[in-house]
Amino acid sequence: MDTRPIGVFDSGLGGLTAVRELARIMPEEDLVYFGDTGRVPYGGRSKDILVRYARQDVAFLRTFNPKAVVIACGTVSSTALDALREENGVPIFGVVEPAARAAAQLTRNGRVGLIGTKATIRSGAYERALARLKPGVEVTARACPLLVSLVENGRFSPGDIVAETIVSEYLAPVKAAGADTLILGCTHYPLMRAVISACMGPGVSLVDVGEQCARWVKQQLDWDGLRNGRPGAGRRRYYVSDSAGDFSELASVFLGENVAGEVEQIDITAY
Ligand code: DGL
């Protein structure tokens, strides 16, 4: 039994897709979330900058003495996972491996679509993982740089004509390639799942990378005997690097509970 919290981070709201699943499958665990809202989006940045930001994000979360750190960000998982693992003596989980496993299992026709940020697509990390897990799988990848801004601005609901138009343009080549499985390779994208799913049609399975990662973390903690055996609901705290207000509002809608009292702004550059 280990009552230490699980640390989770992302550039902004996207990592809440992992938090929601972690809280659902391990309600007794304490979670500490950091959203780097002062520096979002991460997806268009160079590897050097991303590694620097990610080091600070992990250093902040480590002040809570976490038993594990979840990189609930496709961009950081695909560019900085190895560096973070080498430097930190705490288990660090990324989203690429569990998502690639899920896609490899789900696809029937061997054609997998992948959408993510520019940095994620440039890294080729999902393609490498899929080639190892299911040789011969065909991946059609598309960077979707505008989607994170739409999500951070709350523009992700069906009927939002701007969101629908942009999604349909981005997904056109993936649809044309006949993909039967689509990896939502950025943790922000499941917030616009309804729009993406309507565009792809009913026969296509969507892989939520945050959700897959959360399930993998649970499995690992179970295996390693690191679960919190304490009864009752765990505490969830949220930290952001820009003002807490906008984050609280959208996070409360997405998580289905009012988190306003648990959100605090910090200076991430101090870590
Ligand atoms: N949610 C993140 C990801 O999964 C980062 C998006 C961004 O900040 O550009 O890639």
Side-chain angles (χ1 to χ4, degrees):
M1 157 146 158
D2 190 328
T3 56
R4 291 177 296 163
I6 300 170
V8 185
F9 75 94
D10 178 43
S11 60
L13 284 165
L16 295 178
T17 53
V19 166
R20 186 165 71 169
E21 183 67 0
L22 285 166
R24 189 183 73 78
I25 60 180
M26 297 187 285
E28 73 292 346
E29 297 291 346
D30 290 342
L31 303 176
V32 182
Y33 184 78
F34 174 63
D36 199 358
T37 52
R39 303 191 292 200
V40 69
Y42 277 11
R45 301 190 191 276
S46 66
K47 181 168 180 173
D48 286 354
I49 297 272
L50 288 169
V51 172
R52 176 148 63 83
Y53 285 0
R55 280 187 175 130
Q56 290 178 316
D57 301 343
V58 173
F60 169 67
L61 287 174
R62 290 203 62 185
T63 63
F64 295 88
N65 187 27
K67 60 185 165 191
V69 171
V70 179
I71 308 173
C73 174
T75 305
V76 174
S77 299
S78 54
T79 52
L81 176 67
D82 293 341
L84 296 174
R85 279 192 173 150
E86 266 166 37
E87 294 164 7
N88 290 281
V90 59
I92 303 212
F93 297 94
V95 299
V96 174
E97 181 71 22
R101 273 179 200 274
Q105 267 168 17
L106 282 166
T107 184
R108 301 267 164 272
N109 67 7
R111 289 185 214 148
V112 172
L114 166 68
I115 53 174
T117 64
K118 274 188 185 163
T120 296
I121 301 303
R122 192 177 55 213
S123 78
Y126 284 99
E127 285 93 330
R128 279 194 299 281
L130 276 164
R132 184 169 32 80
L133 294 161
K134 195 163 177 128
V137 76
E138 238 176 71
V139 181
T140 304
R142 187 84 211 259
C144 306
L146 295 175
L147 300 191
V148 169
S149 304
L150 285 174
V151 169
E152 288 289 327
N153 286 286
R155 302 287 301 266
F156 46 73
S157 303
D160 185 316
I161 187 77
V162 176
E164 286 177 350
T165 306
I166 293 174
V167 163
S168 108
E169 192 196 305
Y170 279 146
L171 291 179
V174 179
K175 284 177 81 169
D180 69 352
T181 303
L182 175 64
I183 301 177
L184 309 182
C186 164
T187 52
H188 278 72
Y189 301 170
L191 279 93
M192 47 174 29
R193 187 181 185 112
V195 174
I196 293 171
S197 165
C199 175
M200 290 305 291
V204 177
S205 311
L206 303 185
V207 177
D208 175 332
V209 301
E211 191 178 281
Q212 294 302 329
C213 183
R215 293 179 193 167
W216 190 45
V217 171
K218 175 176 182 295
Q219 222 173 56
Q220 295 291 325
L221 294 181
D222 282 340
W223 278 336
D224 296 339
L226 292 178
R227 291 287 301 282
N228 183 350
R230 200 181 47 197
R235 177 166 181 206
R236 276 150 225 151
R237 282 169 284 179
Y238 303 86
Y239 295 87
V240 286
S241 51
D242 203 339
S243 73
D246 289 350
F247 178 89
S248 301
E249 216 174 284
L250 288 171
S252 300
V253 172
F254 179 68
L255 294 170
E257 63 186 34
N258 185 3
V259 302
E262 292 287 359
V263 185
E264 202 181 302
Q265 184 176 352
I266 56 125
D267 176 10
I268 192 64
T269 60
Y271 294 87

